[in-house]
Amino acid sequence: MKISAVLLASLAAGASAFAPNAAPRFAHRADAAVSYNNQIGRLNAEVETKEVEKTAVDPAPAAAAAAVAMSAPSSGGMVAREMNEGIFNFNKKVIDTVYDIICFLYPVTGTKRDFARFYVLETVARVPYFAYLSVLHLRETFGERCEKQSERMRTHYAEADNELHHLLIMESLGGNSSIIDRTLAQSMAFGYYWYVIGVYAWNQAAAYHLSELIEDHAFNTYNGFLTEYADSLKSQPVPPVAQKYYVEDNPFLFDLFCTVKDLDDDGKFSNRRPELETLYDVFVNVRDDEREHWKTLCNLVQYDDMQGVENKDCKSTAPTPEFN
């Protein structure tokens, strides 16, 4: 189209040059050709702009699109994704079943056997972060690298390190004293690791949702334990491993897994600095850690971003009907 317009203008100009008497006759044609050329140029520019905008859209992978649907925007303006109802219900059934088995085998009684329950729970709960890292590391090995992925790997490592210290605390309290408890916990963790590997390789949002459900159970478990046995816990000392992790160690990794933070009076992200006086304080911090993990996972499921929304806007992932 551009060539035709230019050609027409050239012919008009050539005709006026070789036939002076015909110049007035062709003048209006030359002007029309130039006008036509300008219009075509504008149309081409509009088409090119639309093509650029179209190709700039980064569509979500097919599996992720099948797992989530868009919901109403948060107060911060971001739009949360809802989990496909079929995937949501299946994930919930898997996690509820595992949790119910642990609750049945390890009822909370206010005795040292409660620490065995927490030992099993922490052994299983930390496994998904290993699975995420394994898949991301493999993809990185084959050349799939970006800042977003690297940031997630660092955060998942910090989350795994935090869960490790929860486990060390439970072991220091005698939670792993029975070989039966150790065998059960490690067997469940081994099987769950490979399950999460498969889910995460297929659909990251679905895998993050599994851990969101686990962390929510963990928070409620510790919160109930603190409410029921506060007096007993306040009479017991702080385990050295907890004192070292929460108070004495470099807080870099601790701060790294706390991705959803409040703003302080200066408009900067606040840092959580635990204070420990009794075993009660230790369990308060373990409980609060689980909530930090839960917030990060909610953001990953709903916004595909660890800092998706602030504390006040974090809420559990909602299912959306599979068929409308």
Side-chain angles (χ1 to χ4, degrees):
M1 297 294 290
K2 291 180 179 179
I3 295 175
S4 300
V6 173
L7 196 56
L8 183 58
S10 299
L11 288 173
S16 62
F18 287 96
N21 295 332
R25 184 174 57 187
F26 283 103
H28 73 280
R29 295 186 183 179
D31 292 338
V34 172
S35 176
Y36 179 74
N37 187 37
N38 291 337
Q39 292 178 17
I40 292 298
R42 285 195 298 270
L43 287 173
N44 284 334
E46 292 176 4
V47 170
E48 290 172 359
T49 300
K50 290 180 179 179
E51 286 297 320
V52 170
E53 292 175 350
K54 183 177 179 181
T55 56
V57 177
D58 183 16
V68 293
M70 305 313 291
S71 180
S74 68
S75 60
M78 295 193 70
V79 179
R81 302 182 301 182
E82 295 177 335
M83 178 67 59
N84 173 281
E85 188 176 41
I87 296 175
F88 180 96
N89 291 336
F90 185 78
N91 280 352
K92 195 171 187 312
K93 185 174 294 186
V94 169
I95 299 306
D96 286 351
T97 299
V98 173
Y99 183 74
D100 288 344
I101 291 173
I102 295 175
C103 291
F104 176 76
L105 295 175
Y106 301 95
V108 176
T109 59
T111 65
K112 287 190 176 296
R113 283 297 294 163
D114 295 340
F115 302 135
R117 170 180 176 160
F118 300 141
Y119 164 78
V120 174
L121 183 63
E122 293 295 348
T123 301
V124 176
R126 66 195 291 257
V127 159
Y129 303 113
F130 298 157
Y132 305 155
L133 283 169
S134 297
V135 175
L136 292 174
H137 186 275
L138 184 63
R139 289 176 175 172
E140 185 182 62
T141 301
F142 285 100
E144 186 178 317
R145 298 173 189 146
C146 64
E147 180 57 30
K148 179 179 178 181
Q149 181 168 300
S150 298
E151 183 183 5
R152 288 190 185 184
M153 291 178 72
R154 287 190 290 270
T155 301
H156 292 331
Y157 179 83
E159 290 167 329
D161 181 73
N162 176 255
E163 297 287 10
L164 168 64
H165 284 85
H166 292 178
L167 188 62
L168 293 174
I169 291 169
M170 302 312 158
E171 289 179 353
S172 72
L173 295 170
N176 67 332
S177 58
S178 169
I179 189 173
I180 296 176
D181 297 333
R182 294 197 302 272
T183 302
L184 175 65
Q186 292 163 6
S187 298
M188 293 175 67
F190 181 79
Y192 190 55
Y193 169 79
W194 290 107
Y195 176 73
V196 177
I197 285 280
V199 176
Y200 194 73
W202 165 67
N203 187 303
Q204 289 189 3
Y208 286 136
H209 183 240
L210 285 168
S211 290
E212 178 193 330
L213 296 172
I214 289 180
E215 299 295 358
D216 193 41
H217 275 309
F219 174 86
N220 292 327
T221 296
Y222 287 124
N223 194 54
F225 183 66
L226 285 163
T227 302
E228 190 73 19
Y229 302 105
D231 293 338
S232 174
L233 292 169
K234 288 177 180 179
S235 67
Q236 300 180 55
V238 176
V241 65
Q243 178 72 21
K244 184 176 185 300
Y245 175 66
Y246 283 114
V247 179
E248 299 172 7
D249 279 357
N250 187 312
F252 172 75
L253 286 177
F254 184 83
D255 289 340
L256 190 58
F257 82 80
C258 299
T259 64
V260 187
K261 302 177 182 179
D262 289 317
L263 295 177
D264 59 21
D265 295 335
D266 297 326
K268 298 180 180 179
F269 286 119
S270 59
N271 290 322
R272 196 179 120 217
R273 288 292 175 262
E275 295 182 3
L276 304 180
E277 294 182 1
T278 67
L279 188 59
Y280 178 87
D281 299 320
V282 174
F283 274 90
V284 166
N285 280 286
V286 171
R287 178 201 63 187
D288 292 347
D289 290 349
E290 307 298 0
R291 182 55 75 191
E292 291 294 336
H293 297 318
W294 174 83
K295 290 186 293 186
T296 300
L297 291 159
C298 287
N299 273 335
L300 285 168
V301 174
Q302 298 167 31
Y303 304 101
D304 194 31
D305 186 338
M306 292 185 294
Q307 292 90 25
V309 294
E310 300 176 20
N311 268 331
K312 60 185 177 66
D313 290 323
C314 276
K315 59 183 180 179
S316 296
T317 301
T320 187
E322 195 167 1
F323 301 103
N324 295 321

